[in-house]
Amino acid sequence: MTQTQDWWVYRGSGVPHDGIRRLPKAPPWRAFRHDGDRRPIAPPRAPDDEAVRRHLGEGGRGAAYQAGEREIHLVNLALHLRRPLLLTGKPGTGKSTLAYAVAHELGLGPVLRWPVTSRTTLKEGLYEYDAVGRLYEAGLRNAGLRLQPGDTAPEPPDIGKYLWLGPLGTALLPWSRPRVLLIDEIDKSDMDFPNDLLNVFEEGEFLIPELARLGPGGQKVMTVDRTPAWVTDGQVACTEFPFVVMTSNDEREFPMAFLRRCIRLDIKAADDKRLAGMVAAHLGEAGPKGSRSAALRAELIERFLAKQRENGVLANDQLLNALLMAERGLWDDAAGRGLIEDDLLRRLDQG
Protein backbone atom coordinates (compact mmCIF):
# COMPACT_ATOMS: atom_id res chain seq x y z
CA MET A 1 0.00 0.00 0.00
CA THR A 2 1.28 3.45 -0.94
CA GLN A 3 2.45 5.54 2.02
CA THR A 4 0.85 9.01 2.10
CA GLN A 5 3.38 11.83 2.05
CA ASP A 6 3.02 15.18 3.79
CA TRP A 7 3.29 17.30 0.62
CA TRP A 8 0.53 15.39 -1.18
CA VAL A 9 -2.75 17.18 -1.69
CA TYR A 10 -4.20 14.44 -3.88
CA ARG A 11 -3.76 11.05 -2.19
CA GLY A 12 -5.18 8.73 -4.84
CA SER A 13 -7.48 7.10 -2.29
CA GLY A 14 -10.76 7.79 -4.06
CA VAL A 15 -12.15 9.03 -0.73
CA PRO A 16 -13.33 12.68 -0.81
CA HIS A 17 -11.51 15.05 1.53
CA ASP A 18 -10.77 18.75 1.87
CA GLY A 19 -7.03 18.53 1.32
CA ILE A 20 -7.18 21.21 -1.37
CA ARG A 21 -7.29 23.74 1.46
CA ARG A 22 -3.71 22.73 2.29
CA LEU A 23 -2.45 23.56 -1.20
CA PRO A 24 0.33 26.16 -0.67
CA LYS A 25 0.33 29.48 -2.50
CA ALA A 26 1.34 29.43 -6.12
CA PRO A 27 4.99 30.09 -7.04
CA PRO A 28 5.53 33.80 -7.83
CA TRP A 29 5.86 33.03 -11.55
CA ARG A 30 2.50 31.21 -11.54
CA ALA A 31 0.48 33.53 -9.27
CA PHE A 32 -2.52 35.19 -10.91
CA ARG A 33 -4.38 38.36 -10.00
CA HIS A 34 -7.82 38.56 -8.46
CA ASP A 35 -10.59 39.82 -10.70
CA GLY A 36 -10.79 43.36 -9.36
CA ASP A 37 -12.44 43.50 -5.95
CA ARG A 38 -14.83 40.65 -6.66
CA ARG A 39 -14.76 37.73 -4.25
CA PRO A 40 -13.75 34.37 -5.75
CA ILE A 41 -16.74 32.24 -6.62
CA ALA A 42 -17.35 28.75 -5.26
CA PRO A 43 -17.41 25.94 -7.83
CA PRO A 44 -20.73 24.14 -8.32
CA ARG A 45 -21.14 20.80 -6.64
CA ALA A 46 -20.49 17.82 -8.88
CA PRO A 47 -23.82 16.18 -9.75
CA ASP A 48 -24.36 12.48 -9.14
CA ASP A 49 -24.84 11.94 -12.84
CA GLU A 50 -24.10 9.43 -15.57
CA ALA A 51 -20.76 11.01 -16.51
CA VAL A 52 -19.41 10.47 -12.99
CA ARG A 53 -20.66 6.87 -12.84
CA ARG A 54 -19.24 6.04 -16.27
CA HIS A 55 -15.75 7.09 -15.29
CA LEU A 56 -15.54 6.28 -11.60
CA GLY A 57 -17.92 3.40 -11.08
CA GLU A 58 -21.20 3.01 -9.25
CA GLY A 59 -19.90 2.48 -5.74
CA GLY A 60 -16.29 3.62 -5.54
CA ARG A 61 -16.60 6.95 -7.37
CA GLY A 62 -12.82 7.53 -7.40
CA ALA A 63 -11.89 3.89 -7.05
CA ALA A 64 -12.10 3.04 -10.75
CA TYR A 65 -8.77 4.80 -11.20
CA GLN A 66 -6.14 2.87 -9.29
CA ALA A 67 -3.41 5.49 -8.91
CA GLY A 68 0.15 4.33 -8.33
CA GLU A 69 2.78 6.31 -6.47
CA ARG A 70 4.25 7.89 -9.62
CA GLU A 71 0.82 9.07 -10.80
CA ILE A 72 0.10 10.58 -7.37
CA HIS A 73 3.50 12.30 -7.31
CA LEU A 74 2.99 13.95 -10.72
CA VAL A 75 -0.60 15.00 -10.06
CA ASN A 76 0.62 16.76 -6.94
CA LEU A 77 3.51 18.37 -8.81
CA ALA A 78 1.00 19.79 -11.31
CA LEU A 79 -1.19 21.08 -8.46
CA HIS A 80 1.72 22.70 -6.56
CA LEU A 81 3.35 24.24 -9.64
CA ARG A 82 0.07 25.25 -11.35
CA ARG A 83 1.14 23.53 -14.54
CA PRO A 84 -0.91 21.44 -17.02
CA LEU A 85 -0.56 17.67 -16.76
CA LEU A 86 0.06 15.97 -20.11
CA LEU A 87 -0.95 12.31 -20.01
CA THR A 88 0.33 10.02 -22.75
CA GLY A 89 -0.33 6.35 -23.30
CA LYS A 90 -2.22 3.79 -25.34
CA PRO A 91 -5.98 4.22 -25.83
CA GLY A 92 -8.09 2.83 -23.01
CA THR A 93 -5.49 2.99 -20.23
CA GLY A 94 -7.60 5.33 -18.07
CA LYS A 95 -6.01 8.67 -18.93
CA SER A 96 -9.23 10.71 -18.89
CA THR A 97 -10.45 8.88 -15.77
CA LEU A 98 -7.63 10.46 -13.76
CA ALA A 99 -9.21 13.92 -14.20
CA TYR A 100 -12.50 12.66 -12.75
CA ALA A 101 -10.70 10.93 -9.88
CA VAL A 102 -8.89 14.14 -8.86
CA ALA A 103 -12.05 16.27 -9.14
CA HIS A 104 -14.02 13.77 -7.05
CA GLU A 105 -11.42 13.30 -4.30
CA LEU A 106 -10.63 17.02 -3.89
CA GLY A 107 -14.19 18.33 -4.31
CA LEU A 108 -13.36 20.54 -7.31
CA GLY A 109 -16.78 20.42 -8.94
CA PRO A 110 -17.82 18.88 -12.26
CA VAL A 111 -15.05 18.14 -14.73
CA LEU A 112 -15.00 20.61 -17.64
CA ARG A 113 -14.44 18.37 -20.66
CA TRP A 114 -13.14 19.69 -23.99
CA PRO A 115 -12.89 16.95 -26.65
CA VAL A 116 -10.44 17.92 -29.39
CA THR A 117 -10.66 17.21 -33.13
CA SER A 118 -8.62 18.33 -36.12
CA ARG A 119 -11.01 21.29 -36.50
CA THR A 120 -10.87 22.50 -32.88
CA THR A 121 -9.77 26.12 -32.36
CA LEU A 122 -8.71 27.98 -29.24
CA LYS A 123 -11.66 30.37 -29.49
CA GLU A 124 -14.15 27.47 -29.24
CA GLY A 125 -12.68 26.58 -25.87
CA LEU A 126 -12.78 30.17 -24.63
CA TYR A 127 -16.22 31.42 -25.67
CA GLU A 128 -18.86 31.51 -28.40
CA TYR A 129 -20.92 34.50 -29.46
CA ASP A 130 -24.18 34.26 -31.41
CA ALA A 131 -24.09 37.61 -33.22
CA VAL A 132 -26.74 36.52 -35.73
CA GLY A 133 -29.20 35.64 -32.96
CA ARG A 134 -28.66 38.99 -31.27
CA LEU A 135 -29.20 40.95 -34.50
CA TYR A 136 -32.31 38.91 -35.28
CA GLU A 137 -33.87 39.74 -31.90
CA ALA A 138 -32.99 43.42 -32.31
CA GLY A 139 -34.64 43.40 -35.72
CA LEU A 140 -37.82 41.88 -34.32
CA ARG A 141 -37.97 44.53 -31.61
CA ASN A 142 -37.55 47.35 -34.08
CA ALA A 143 -40.11 45.89 -36.48
CA GLY A 144 -42.73 45.76 -33.74
CA LEU A 145 -42.42 49.48 -32.90
CA ARG A 146 -43.59 52.55 -34.76
CA LEU A 147 -41.30 55.37 -33.79
CA GLN A 148 -42.80 58.86 -33.53
CA PRO A 149 -40.82 62.03 -34.26
CA GLY A 150 -38.36 62.55 -31.42
CA ASP A 151 -38.50 58.93 -30.28
CA THR A 152 -35.25 57.02 -29.90
CA ALA A 153 -34.68 53.47 -31.04
CA PRO A 154 -34.93 50.83 -28.33
CA GLU A 155 -31.80 49.41 -26.75
CA PRO A 156 -30.49 46.27 -28.44
CA PRO A 157 -30.97 43.02 -26.51
CA ASP A 158 -28.48 42.23 -23.75
CA ILE A 159 -25.33 40.83 -25.36
CA GLY A 160 -24.73 38.46 -22.46
CA LYS A 161 -27.74 36.40 -23.52
CA TYR A 162 -25.88 35.46 -26.68
CA LEU A 163 -22.44 34.75 -25.29
CA TRP A 164 -21.38 31.67 -23.38
CA LEU A 165 -18.02 30.53 -22.09
CA GLY A 166 -16.46 27.33 -23.35
CA PRO A 167 -14.71 24.73 -21.17
CA LEU A 168 -11.41 26.63 -21.01
CA GLY A 169 -13.17 29.98 -20.57
CA THR A 170 -15.25 28.56 -17.71
CA ALA A 171 -12.13 27.07 -16.07
CA LEU A 172 -10.47 30.51 -16.07
CA LEU A 173 -13.23 32.26 -14.13
CA PRO A 174 -12.14 33.47 -10.65
CA TRP A 175 -13.05 30.28 -8.78
CA SER A 176 -12.13 29.91 -5.12
CA ARG A 177 -10.79 26.42 -5.91
CA PRO A 178 -9.11 25.27 -9.13
CA ARG A 179 -11.55 23.70 -11.56
CA VAL A 180 -10.57 20.51 -13.39
CA LEU A 181 -10.31 20.93 -17.17
CA LEU A 182 -9.94 17.80 -19.32
CA ILE A 183 -8.60 18.53 -22.82
CA ASP A 184 -9.16 15.13 -24.36
CA GLU A 185 -7.03 13.71 -27.19
CA ILE A 186 -5.02 16.85 -27.86
CA ASP A 187 -2.89 14.88 -30.33
CA LYS A 188 -5.81 15.02 -32.79
CA SER A 189 -5.59 18.82 -32.98
CA ASP A 190 -4.21 21.04 -35.70
CA MET A 191 -0.42 21.45 -35.55
CA ASP A 192 -0.69 25.03 -34.23
CA PHE A 193 -3.24 24.27 -31.50
CA PRO A 194 -0.79 23.42 -28.64
CA ASN A 195 1.11 26.66 -29.22
CA ASP A 196 -2.18 28.60 -29.32
CA LEU A 197 -2.86 27.37 -25.77
CA LEU A 198 0.47 28.62 -24.43
CA ASN A 199 -0.39 32.30 -24.04
CA VAL A 200 -3.63 31.56 -22.19
CA PHE A 201 -1.89 29.02 -19.95
CA GLU A 202 0.89 31.51 -19.17
CA GLU A 203 -1.35 34.52 -18.50
CA GLY A 204 -4.35 32.78 -16.90
CA GLU A 205 -6.71 35.25 -18.56
CA PHE A 206 -8.21 36.34 -21.87
CA LEU A 207 -10.24 39.20 -23.32
CA ILE A 208 -13.70 38.95 -24.90
CA PRO A 209 -13.69 41.81 -27.46
CA GLU A 210 -17.49 41.80 -27.87
CA LEU A 211 -17.85 42.66 -24.17
CA ALA A 212 -14.82 44.95 -23.93
CA ARG A 213 -16.24 47.17 -26.70
CA LEU A 214 -19.22 47.97 -24.47
CA GLY A 215 -16.93 49.94 -22.14
CA PRO A 216 -16.44 49.61 -18.37
CA GLY A 217 -18.92 47.47 -16.49
CA GLY A 218 -20.04 43.90 -16.14
CA GLN A 219 -22.08 41.48 -18.20
CA LYS A 220 -23.77 38.26 -17.19
CA VAL A 221 -22.89 35.33 -19.48
CA MET A 222 -23.56 31.59 -19.46
CA THR A 223 -20.97 28.91 -18.65
CA VAL A 224 -20.72 25.29 -19.76
CA ASP A 225 -21.96 24.46 -16.25
CA ARG A 226 -25.26 26.03 -17.45
CA THR A 227 -25.03 28.61 -14.72
CA PRO A 228 -24.56 32.40 -15.16
CA ALA A 229 -21.26 34.12 -14.45
CA TRP A 230 -20.30 37.79 -14.22
CA VAL A 231 -17.56 39.10 -16.54
CA THR A 232 -16.15 42.57 -15.77
CA ASP A 233 -14.78 44.85 -18.52
CA GLY A 234 -14.73 41.93 -20.93
CA GLN A 235 -11.84 40.26 -19.04
CA VAL A 236 -11.93 36.67 -17.77
CA ALA A 237 -9.09 36.12 -15.26
CA CYS A 238 -8.48 33.22 -12.90
CA THR A 239 -7.54 33.49 -9.26
CA GLU A 240 -6.52 29.83 -9.11
CA PHE A 241 -5.02 28.22 -12.20
CA PRO A 242 -7.21 25.25 -13.16
CA PHE A 243 -6.00 21.68 -12.86
CA VAL A 244 -5.58 20.99 -16.57
CA VAL A 245 -5.34 17.38 -17.78
CA MET A 246 -4.45 16.92 -21.45
CA THR A 247 -4.56 13.41 -22.88
CA SER A 248 -2.65 12.11 -25.88
CA ASN A 249 -2.60 8.66 -27.44
CA ASP A 250 1.08 9.24 -28.25
CA GLU A 251 0.39 9.61 -31.96
CA ARG A 252 2.41 12.82 -32.54
CA GLU A 253 5.21 15.00 -31.21
CA PHE A 254 4.53 18.32 -29.48
CA PRO A 255 6.57 21.56 -29.70
CA MET A 256 9.35 21.95 -27.13
CA ALA A 257 7.92 25.27 -25.93
CA PHE A 258 4.68 23.46 -25.13
CA LEU A 259 6.32 20.46 -23.46
CA ARG A 260 8.51 22.51 -21.14
CA ARG A 261 5.41 24.11 -19.63
CA CYS A 262 3.77 20.76 -18.84
CA ILE A 263 4.20 18.04 -16.27
CA ARG A 264 4.38 14.86 -18.34
CA LEU A 265 3.13 11.45 -17.25
CA ASP A 266 3.14 8.30 -19.37
CA ILE A 267 0.32 5.99 -18.29
CA LYS A 268 1.40 2.36 -18.47
CA ALA A 269 -0.85 -0.67 -18.80
CA ALA A 270 -2.37 -1.70 -15.47
CA ASP A 271 -1.33 -4.84 -13.60
CA ASP A 272 -3.71 -7.48 -12.28
CA LYS A 273 -4.34 -5.74 -8.94
CA ARG A 274 -5.18 -2.39 -10.53
CA LEU A 275 -7.42 -4.09 -13.09
CA ALA A 276 -9.23 -5.98 -10.33
CA GLY A 277 -9.86 -2.69 -8.50
CA MET A 278 -11.21 -1.06 -11.66
CA VAL A 279 -13.50 -4.01 -12.33
CA ALA A 280 -14.82 -3.97 -8.75
CA ALA A 281 -15.60 -0.24 -9.01
CA HIS A 282 -17.72 -0.78 -12.11
CA LEU A 283 -19.16 -4.29 -11.68
CA GLY A 284 -19.17 -4.63 -7.89
CA GLU A 285 -17.07 -6.89 -5.73
CA ALA A 286 -16.54 -10.49 -6.81
CA GLY A 287 -17.63 -13.31 -4.58
CA PRO A 288 -15.40 -14.75 -1.85
CA LYS A 289 -12.08 -16.32 -2.75
CA GLY A 290 -12.64 -19.68 -4.41
CA SER A 291 -16.13 -18.78 -5.64
CA ARG A 292 -17.08 -19.12 -9.30
CA SER A 293 -17.31 -15.35 -9.83
CA ALA A 294 -13.89 -14.71 -8.26
CA ALA A 295 -12.31 -17.45 -10.36
CA LEU A 296 -13.96 -16.13 -13.53
CA ARG A 297 -12.63 -12.62 -12.96
CA ALA A 298 -9.13 -13.87 -12.22
CA GLU A 299 -9.15 -16.02 -15.36
CA LEU A 300 -10.33 -13.24 -17.67
CA ILE A 301 -7.95 -10.67 -16.19
CA GLU A 302 -5.12 -13.17 -16.80
CA ARG A 303 -6.28 -13.67 -20.42
CA PHE A 304 -6.48 -9.90 -20.91
CA LEU A 305 -2.94 -9.36 -19.62
CA ALA A 306 -1.63 -12.26 -21.71
CA LYS A 307 -3.02 -10.66 -24.87
CA GLN A 308 -1.37 -7.37 -23.91
CA ARG A 309 1.97 -9.11 -23.40
CA GLU A 310 1.69 -10.49 -26.94
CA ASN A 311 2.21 -6.89 -28.10
CA GLY A 312 -1.48 -6.43 -28.62
CA VAL A 313 -3.23 -3.12 -28.06
CA LEU A 314 -6.24 -3.55 -25.77
CA ALA A 315 -8.27 -1.02 -23.78
CA ASN A 316 -9.43 -1.44 -20.21
CA ASP A 317 -13.07 -1.07 -21.21
CA GLN A 318 -12.69 -4.18 -23.39
CA LEU A 319 -12.01 -6.13 -20.21
CA LEU A 320 -15.16 -4.67 -18.61
CA ASN A 321 -17.23 -5.67 -21.65
CA ALA A 322 -15.78 -9.17 -21.64
CA LEU A 323 -16.36 -9.70 -17.91
CA LEU A 324 -19.90 -8.35 -18.05
CA MET A 325 -20.85 -10.83 -20.78
CA ALA A 326 -18.90 -13.66 -19.16
CA GLU A 327 -20.82 -13.16 -15.91
CA ARG A 328 -24.04 -13.28 -17.94
CA GLY A 329 -23.17 -16.83 -19.05
CA LEU A 330 -21.20 -16.31 -22.26
CA TRP A 331 -18.10 -17.97 -20.76
CA ASP A 332 -19.99 -21.20 -20.11
CA ASP A 333 -19.72 -22.72 -23.60
CA ALA A 334 -17.23 -22.81 -26.47
CA ALA A 335 -19.22 -20.54 -28.77
CA GLY A 336 -19.55 -17.86 -26.11
CA ARG A 337 -15.88 -18.09 -25.20
CA GLY A 338 -15.04 -17.62 -28.85
CA LEU A 339 -17.08 -14.42 -29.01
CA ILE A 340 -15.32 -13.03 -25.95
CA GLU A 341 -11.81 -14.08 -27.05
CA ASP A 342 -12.10 -13.16 -30.73
CA ASP A 343 -14.40 -10.14 -30.64
CA LEU A 344 -14.58 -8.48 -27.23
CA LEU A 345 -10.85 -9.00 -26.56
CA ARG A 346 -9.79 -8.38 -30.15
CA ARG A 347 -6.60 -6.35 -30.50
CA LEU A 348 -7.36 -2.77 -31.45
CA ASP A 349 -4.52 -2.73 -33.98
CA GLN A 350 -5.89 -5.72 -35.88
CA GLY A 351 -7.54 -5.09 -39.23
Side-chain angles (χ1 to χ4, degrees):
M1 187 173 180
T2 303
Q3 181 68 40
T4 301
Q5 300 193 20
D6 290 341
W7 68 281
W8 285 357
V9 176
Y10 169 68
R11 304 169 189 161
S13 66
V15 179
H17 58 82
D18 208 25
I20 194 67
R21 291 184 180 274
R22 297 188 295 102
L23 182 64
K25 290 182 179 180
W29 56 91
R30 295 296 294 161
F32 300 98
R33 69 173 179 83
H34 286 269
D35 190 19
D37 295 326
R38 294 182 56 79
R39 295 177 59 190
I41 53 179
R45 296 184 62 183
D48 184 19
D49 62 8
E50 290 300 322
V52 175
R53 286 192 287 272
R54 276 200 308 274
H55 287 277
L56 301 183
E58 288 286 344
R61 289 296 181 263
Y65 188 83
Q66 304 289 308
E69 187 172 71
R70 178 164 175 77
E71 286 91 340
I72 299 172
H73 277 325
L74 294 186
V75 166
N76 281 288
L77 284 177
L79 286 166
H80 279 261
L81 298 175
R82 274 63 168 185
R83 288 294 184 186
L85 182 66
L86 176 61
L87 301 182
T88 58
K90 299 299 183 184
T93 51
K95 296 185 295 295
S96 60
T97 303
L98 177 57
Y100 289 84
V102 173
H104 166 72
E105 183 175 317
L106 297 181
L108 302 181
V111 172
L112 301 167
R113 183 172 177 266
W114 186 11
V116 172
T117 70
S118 60
R119 299 178 299 277
T120 298
T121 64
L122 175 64
K123 185 174 180 294
E124 292 173 5
L126 295 175
Y127 74 97
E128 293 188 38
Y129 173 51
D130 183 9
V132 174
R134 182 169 181 254
L135 289 173
Y136 179 71
E137 182 177 337
L140 290 179
R141 287 189 179 191
N142 290 336
L145 293 174
R146 293 183 179 179
L147 299 180
Q148 302 299 319
D151 288 348
T152 57
E155 289 292 323
D158 182 8
I159 190 174
K161 292 169 56 179
Y162 299 93
L163 193 147
W164 54 95
L165 300 179
L168 177 54
T170 299
L172 291 173
L173 285 168
W175 302 104
S176 59
R177 295 183 172 196
R179 294 296 301 273
V180 175
L181 171 65
L182 171 62
I183 305 179
D184 215 4
E185 300 191 333
I186 191 173
D187 50 329
K188 291 183 177 179
S189 67
D190 178 85
M191 292 300 293
D192 293 329
F193 181 74
N195 281 331
D196 292 341
L197 289 171
L198 287 183
N199 185 60
V200 178
F201 283 170
E202 286 302 294
E203 301 302 324
E205 62 183 37
F206 68 96
L207 185 72
I208 301 177
E210 292 85 351
L211 297 183
R213 282 195 292 266
L214 299 177
Q219 285 283 337
K220 188 181 291 186
V221 301
M222 193 61 68
T223 70
V224 290
D225 291 319
R226 299 182 182 179
T227 57
W230 195 259
V231 176
T232 304
D233 301 336
Q235 192 84 10
V236 176
C238 69
T239 56
E240 288 288 345
F241 188 73
F243 178 67
V244 180
V245 176
M246 299 179 290
T247 70
S248 167
N249 292 329
D250 226 4
E251 296 175 355
R252 66 178 271 195
E253 295 292 330
F254 293 103
M256 292 296 294
F258 176 77
L259 292 176
R260 74 180 180 85
R261 290 171 169 87
C262 299
I263 304 296
R264 287 185 279 173
L265 170 61
D266 186 34
I267 301 292
K268 304 296 185 183
D271 59 18
D272 56 344
K273 291 182 179 179
R274 292 177 66 178
L275 288 174
M278 177 201 71
V279 169
H282 285 285
L283 299 180
E285 296 291 340
K289 187 175 180 179
S291 67
R292 180 182 178 278
S293 61
L296 179 61
R297 288 195 182 183
E299 182 179 359
L300 271 170
I301 288 174
E302 183 180 345
R303 292 293 304 130
F304 179 80
L305 291 172
K307 284 178 174 286
Q308 282 189 331
R309 287 192 295 270
E310 294 167 4
N311 296 319
V313 179
L314 283 86
N316 292 349
D317 53 1
Q318 288 179 270
L319 174 62
L320 291 175
N321 293 336
L323 271 169
L324 177 67
M325 296 311 300
E327 291 179 352
R328 291 181 178 179
L330 215 58
W331 199 248
D332 296 342
D333 57 62
R337 283 179 177 239
L339 284 172
I340 290 176
E341 290 270 12
D342 301 334
D343 294 280
L344 296 184
L345 294 181
R346 181 191 183 97
R347 283 171 41 179
L348 297 178
D349 56 347
Q350 278 186 334

